[in-house]
Amino acid sequence: MATRIIYTGRNTNIKYQLLDQGAPKDLSNLSKIDLIFTSSVKVSGTIGTTTPLDFSTIPTELTLKFSAITIPSGSYPSVKLVVYDADNPNGLIWGEIALVVRDNPYTDA
């Protein structure tokens, strides 16, 4: 999987499809998704919300919408994706994604 770049304070929406046996997974039964960057940096989204994680608008897409939150700049090659539903109330580690967070280079002076 390719590493995606997020700029702090910018609308860098990134879309993912979670696959189950090669087919897009319907996310409408999920209650929560966590992205765990490090032991101290975590982003959570719940059903019905559209920021910072949106898995409600299009039930087969997970969209990261990080413009309104601050994630420390750095390289995160193994961000853990944890999904929660009625069968997995303690969370199921679905996989990992690679992200790089950079400070916004285009600030107004």
Side-chain angles (χ1 to χ4, degrees):
M1 182 176 289
T3 300
R4 304 294 298 268
I5 299 173
I6 296 169
Y7 291 95
T8 57
R10 291 291 179 180
N11 294 325
T12 312
N13 295 346
I14 299 174
K15 295 181 181 186
Y16 291 96
Q17 280 191 318
L18 306 186
L19 302 178
D20 186 7
Q21 298 180 353
K25 170 82 172 141
D26 183 348
L27 307 177
S28 62
N29 68 323
L30 298 180
S31 57
K32 179 179 169 184
I33 295 179
D34 287 337
L35 291 180
I36 302 173
F37 288 75
T38 67
S39 60
S40 61
V41 179
K42 178 175 88 170
V43 175
S44 296
T46 56
I47 187 70
T49 60
T50 58
T51 58
L53 305 176
D54 180 2
F55 55 97
S56 298
T57 303
I58 300 174
T60 58
E61 289 183 357
L62 167 62
T63 304
L64 313 185
K65 297 179 177 181
F66 290 162
S67 63
I69 64 171
T70 301
I71 298 169
S73 295
S75 178
Y76 300 94
S78 302
V79 178
K80 304 219 179 359
L81 175 67
V82 184
V83 298
Y84 299 81
D85 62 13
D87 293 331
N88 301 287
N90 294 320
L92 171 69
I93 298 177
W94 194 268
E96 296 180 350
I97 59 176
L99 296 170
V100 171
V101 178
R102 293 186 180 155
D103 289 331
N104 179 6
Y106 309 107
T107 57
D108 297 333

